[in-house]
């Protein structure tokens, strides 16, 4: 047997069970999800490990954790299962059986207006399509779409000089900039705008990086043009802007809060509730130096009808 061939005996059900264990965290929950007895699922995972020739999961009281080999196989398993499911869906549609499916990823913490527009317009444009909505962080290459774990995604694009890998297509939706909150006593507050030099000298709360690595790295690079040693500070309360504002307002030294992309460049930012914001006020970054490009991305080998739906949705939002 060549090294490039899968070991004889591996079946799709082994891969599905393996992915279910990793996503569920325990064998018990995975068995419930897959509608099999827990001993049966455990036995099949052991057989998969025998086929591969190495341990894939570390069993412990806290649940199951991936080994280094298991991490590799997890990524490949998802790609294989996604490709099979997508192929079956296209085959059924070609035979006139069932509705087309579209797996759509939305990046977390998108501006509320942009997320709502996308969901509303896509549902209106595709009433005959079963859309599965997924929320997941997206890297610069939109890996979930590239690896066929999803069909399309809405997220932030890398800088303009970097192209997406084939066979991904993209529609530009528009430029968005963050909201910047600074103490009301800061000299920039009366101006309603702050320069990069001033911003880069502050303790600036933003992130964490894993939520949006593309914008995080790009904005940090811009701020380092003014301060080579600049680093963001992770927010203490990632799910609550109001609590983060209160935290920054009561610090011993001036701190600012930088949101993710928040509103279209040139438009007024959406406000947050007064509760907890203390003496923090919103200002703009002069010259819109911090911005991100929103893009709707899909695979170029999707059925033509689905590609047209995605194109029309992106065009409507951009307009």
């Amino acid at each position: 047997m060549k090294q490039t061939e899968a070991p004889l005996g591996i079946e799709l059900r082994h891969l599905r069970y393996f992915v279910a264990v990793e996503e569920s965290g325990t064998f018990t929950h995975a068995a419930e999800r897959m509608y099999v007895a827990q001993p049966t699922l455990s036995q099949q995972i052991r057989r998969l490990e025998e086929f591969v020739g190495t341990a894939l999961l570390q069993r412990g009281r806290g649940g199951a954790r991936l080994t280094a080999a298991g991490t590799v196989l997890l990524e490949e398993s998802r790609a294989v299962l996604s490709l099979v499911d997508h192929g079956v869906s296209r085959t059924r549609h070609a035979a006139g059986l069932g509705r087309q499916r579209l797996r759509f990823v939305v990046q977390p913490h998108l501006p509320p207006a942009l997320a709502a527009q996308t969901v509303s317009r896509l549902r209106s444009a595709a009433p005959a399509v079963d859309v599965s909505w997924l929320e997941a962080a997206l890297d610069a290459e939109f890996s979930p779409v590239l690896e066929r774990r999803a069909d399309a995604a809405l997220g932030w694009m890398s800088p303009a000089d970097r192209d997406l890998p084939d066979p991904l297509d993209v529609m530009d939706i528009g430029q968005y900039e963050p909201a910047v909150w600074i103490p009301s006593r800061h000299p920039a507050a009366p101006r309603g705008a702050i320069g990069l030099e001033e911003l880069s000298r502050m303790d600036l709360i933003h992130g964490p990086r894993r939520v949006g690595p593309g914008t995080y790295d790009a904005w940090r690079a811009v701020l380092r043009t003014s301060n080579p040693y600049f680093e963001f500070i992770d927010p203490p309360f990632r799910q609550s802007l109001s609590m983060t504002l209160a935290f920054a307002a009561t610090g011993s030294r001036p701190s600012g809060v930088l949101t993710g992309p928040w509103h279209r460049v040139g438009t007024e930012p959406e406000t947050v509730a007064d509760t907890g914001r203390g003496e923090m006020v919103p200002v703009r970054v002069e010259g819109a130096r911090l911005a991100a490009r929103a893009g709707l991305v899909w695979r170029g080998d999707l059925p033509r009808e689905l590609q047209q739906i995605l194109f029309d949705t992106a065009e409507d939002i951009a307009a």
Side-chain angles (χ1 to χ4, degrees), residues 92-313:
R92 287 178 55 81
H93 179 71
L97 303 172
R99 292 152 56 97
Q100 284 191 305
R101 293 177 57 222
L102 181 70
R103 299 163 300 169
F104 195 93
V105 176
V106 177
Q107 186 162 321
H109 308 295
L110 288 173
L114 175 60
Q117 268 189 317
T118 303
V119 172
S120 174
R121 297 194 182 215
L122 187 55
R123 286 173 62 91
S124 299
V129 177
D130 288 329
V131 182
S132 299
W133 301 95
L134 311 167
E135 186 178 55
L138 295 165
D139 57 19
E141 294 187 341
F142 285 72
S143 292
V145 182
L146 184 64
E147 297 167 1
R148 298 182 183 274
R149 289 182 277 121
D151 303 312
L154 174 67
W156 305 114
M157 307 298 298
S158 60
D161 58 344
R162 289 184 57 187
D163 294 328
L164 286 174
D166 291 333
L168 299 185
D169 287 333
V170 61
M171 269 286 289
D172 193 329
I173 290 178
Q175 292 273 359
Y176 287 74
E177 59 185 339
V180 185
W181 295 78
I182 62 175
S184 59
R185 63 185 182 277
H186 192 282
R191 306 198 308 265
I194 188 168
L196 284 182
E197 175 69 26
E198 296 171 287
L199 200 59
S200 68
R201 302 295 172 183
M202 298 180 67
D203 288 340
L204 193 57
I205 299 172
H206 177 64
R209 182 180 181 278
R210 64 180 180 275
V211 174
T215 54
Y216 187 100
D217 292 344
W219 291 355
R220 181 176 57 183
V222 170
L223 287 161
R224 282 183 174 178
T225 61
S226 296
N227 175 10
Y229 304 102
F230 176 83
E231 289 287 351
F232 288 121
I233 298 173
D234 279 357
F237 311 102
R238 185 164 65 88
Q239 302 297 335
S240 173
L241 176 59
S242 293
M243 291 177 67
T244 300
L245 292 175
F247 180 88
T250 55
S252 59
R253 55 173 289 169
S255 298
V257 177
L258 181 72
T259 70
W262 192 259
H263 60 98
R264 281 183 183 269
V265 172
T267 64
E268 289 299 319
E270 300 175 31
T271 59
V272 299
D274 288 342
T275 305
R277 59 184 270 188
E279 298 299 319
M280 304 294 286
V281 297
V283 295
R284 292 182 176 278
V285 179
E286 292 176 351
R289 293 292 305 279
L290 303 182
R293 182 165 57 101
L296 202 160
V297 174
W298 63 86
R299 287 187 61 89
D301 57 4
L302 284 178
R304 193 167 295 178
E305 315 90 88
L306 290 181
Q307 293 194 58
Q308 187 64 51
I309 288 171
L310 292 166
F311 181 89
D312 291 344
T313 297

